[in-house]
Amino acid sequence: MQKEQEYIDRLHHRVDVLRGDAAEQVRNALTPVGTGQQARVERDVLVAERSGLLAALNAVDGSLCFGRIDLTDGVAHHIGRIGIREDDSEHTPLLIDWRAPVARPFYLATHHTPMGLRRRRHLTTEGRTVTELHDEVLDVGDRERTGFEDPSGDTVLLAAVNSARTGRMADIVRTIQAEQDRIIRAPHRGVLVVEGGPGTGKTAVALHRAAFLLYEQRELLAKRAVLIVGPNPAFLGYIGEVLPSLGETGVLLATQAELFPGVRAEGTDTPRAAAVKGASAMAEALALAVRDRQLLPEPDAPLIVPHDDGDLVLDREIARAARQAARDTRLPHNLARPHFAFRVIDALTAQLTERIGADPYGGPNFLGPDDIAQLGKAVAVSREVHAAIEELWPALTPEGFLAGYLAEPVHLPEADAEAIRRAPGEEAWTPADVPLLDEAAELLGVDDSAERAAAEAERQERIAYAQGVLELSRGSESFEFEDEESELLAAHDIIDAERMADRQEEADHRSAAERAAADRTWAFGHIIVDEAQELSPMAWRLLMRRSPTRSMTLVGDPAQTSEEAGVGSWREILEPYVGDRYEHVRLGINYRTPAEVMEVAAKVLRAVDPSFEPPGSVRSTGEAPWIRETGADLAGAVARAVAELTPGEGRLAVIAPRELHEEIAAPLDGVVPGDEPDLTRTVVLLGPRQAKGLEFDHVLVVEPGRFGTSDLYVALTRATQRLGVLHREALPASLR
């Protein structure tokens, strides 16, 4: 252990040096030392790299190294969360990144296939102190003994799964198992589906796969960013520290409700409304509703447009021809609008030309091309003409269009329309509205010609200002030299006005993830979706737009599908986008849920599917789950059970129907119901869908009879140690 402690001390000394160097380089880079675009780019790259290194070092400090592999040829490598070199040379790795190919035997080597290893060592540290060593001897001919041998090789894994929870997911980089490693490093570049039951580590595998891809495709993903979509804010808070602990910070974490920039979807739909909004039929309904906004005047009621030279008549035939011309462009509504406007303006100009230039004796029109052009300009700038165009082909925003649509839904069966109808003025967007807003944005498009024109006008102003500065510098050169021509360079000798103006533009120092969060059209380098079976067809349309390369990792378990809008079938989700060109893998070992708990949970699904087989649990606690009936005082019974289950350390979750939360929370000290519970507290109160993807040492399920089958299965499989069930009402048949 002394030698390992000496190594850890040397490693952290190197880290301290790197941290100091990186901080100094960032400070120096932020001090202007050069001008011009190239200097700015070099500075921004340096700041990003050094700041990223600082963030990584700070995130993993104290737990950098967790293992060592000794090869049969006498070479040894220490394995850690990030790679560290002894100095700036390319040949002295002090610490090997766990994602490097040379580190892979640490995860895959067995006694049967040692992969060139003599032994594998697991190091446990607290801060910078080595506290435990566990050695696995893989070479049967190795007679050396250190006193730290672990005959089973499972000590570290079992210690990790039995350890008390903290309310935050920890990385599994020390205990990645072979089946998990193969998925994390899978070479598949398209859509990878990772299916697994409760406790199989599928979320952790997906997060570590994100870290691996960021290591393997650093340049691409640094530019395009990685998006991780989770089922709720509590889940994102729960997993939020995993990637930073692996040295990766350039990732955007979001729920479906956060995927439309500028919108906070905090409302709530009924399950029926969410299902209707999530159905694929909504895409066609919205497309037809947009076409409904492209109007024609009534046959006997043309639009009369006042004009100084007599009223102009915008009749049905003019509008129909203009509308068809605009639709023929196949552009989104707002981008096709100028084409509609041009045709209307041309028709009204022709009408005006014929009226003004007509020869009363039947001769040719006496207006020339210049005269007609002037009339066209007058029509084009007429506010009355633009008001008529706006009436027939209005400029629409996604928010305004969808609010109007939900107030009066069309192109849906009446029962579906009634389910999603929203009272006028009701402004709270729901998570199910977000894919509809995104669909509307695709159908409408953004006509940014005015913004681009304004930006160009601003740029021309900067150029004009820069030109004036250069002219002043030129005028100030009144020096005359008697004997020789001056070799001094003035500003205008080395820079022109356009370059000078461009240098005044402010650089965007946001990370790729920050820029992606603000840009609805951003194309991510890779997308990870957790609880993917819960997303609706409309949500998948949104996500596929964010992933034109179809580089995705989808994680879920169809047996846990609880949302009415959820697809639940990988084939149904993916066939419209990639056909059968996706890879599907399963995780079959349950590392979290004890066998006793899993046996009870499995009965819930076997009640509807007798052939259901849960993932196999690797451990047993010897503690059987208990089920108790309460009297009238449900809240008091919950409080007593919480006191019984709450240990000296670890976390307990009370999982109950949302309508009972206020009643249950009243006698529980410090427990507050809400959408974003603090998972680091000793006791938290959750609904079954809030509990998705989470794990706790102890779980108390309340009134299981009010849960659906999938929700109950989820609730029962959150515990790593003990499970209790309380009920005042009738139990589900599967638990009787």
Side-chain angles (χ1 to χ4, degrees), residues 114-133:
M115 300 179 70
L117 297 193
R118 183 171 62 87
R119 70 175 51 222
R120 170 172 46 212
R121 168 169 287 179
H122 294 269
L123 286 78
T124 302
T125 59
E126 290 184 7
R128 301 189 177 195
T129 302
V130 179
T131 57
E132 289 184 61
L133 299 179

Side-chain angles (χ1 to χ4, degrees), residues 252-442:
L252 175 63
L253 280 71
T255 64
Q256 175 182 310
E258 299 168 307
L259 291 177
F260 194 86
V263 165
R264 292 179 60 85
E266 298 177 331
T268 303
D269 277 313
T270 65
R272 171 68 175 147
V276 172
K277 290 178 180 181
S280 57
M282 284 300 306
E284 183 178 0
L286 292 176
L288 293 173
V290 169
R291 290 174 71 88
D292 290 346
R293 301 301 302 273
Q294 300 162 2
L295 304 174
L296 300 176
E298 293 298 325
D300 55 352
L303 297 183
I304 304 302
V305 182
H307 191 272
D308 291 342
D309 295 304
D311 292 345
L312 301 174
V313 179
L314 177 48
D315 60 24
R316 192 175 182 84
E317 288 311 309
I318 291 175
R320 188 196 306 278
R323 184 175 72 174
Q324 191 59 49
R327 287 178 174 177
D328 286 346
T329 65
R330 298 186 178 277
L331 292 170
H333 174 89
N334 288 331
L335 298 183
R337 185 174 184 270
H339 295 270
F340 176 82
F342 292 152
R343 290 295 292 264
V344 168
I345 289 168
D346 286 347
L348 295 181
T349 299
Q351 195 177 115
L352 190 59
T353 299
E354 184 177 351
R355 176 189 304 161
I356 294 176
D359 184 345
Y361 301 103
N365 193 299
F366 57 77
L367 293 179
D370 291 344
D371 299 320
I372 295 173
Q374 288 299 319
L375 289 176
K377 289 180 181 178
V379 172
V381 300
S382 167
R383 279 185 289 184
E384 290 78 8
V385 169
H386 282 281
I389 291 170
E390 178 67 20
E391 182 176 342
L392 298 179
W393 195 295
L396 300 172
T397 65
E399 294 91 335
F401 166 75
L402 186 61
Y405 178 84
L406 293 176
E408 196 55 53
V410 292
H411 305 296
L412 290 173
E414 181 54 36
D416 290 350
E418 187 58 35
I420 67 172
R421 184 172 281 111
R422 191 163 83 179
E426 187 180 331
E427 297 179 355
W429 297 112
T430 71
D433 291 332
V434 168
L436 305 189
L437 287 166
D438 198 72
E439 190 74 24
E442 286 292 305

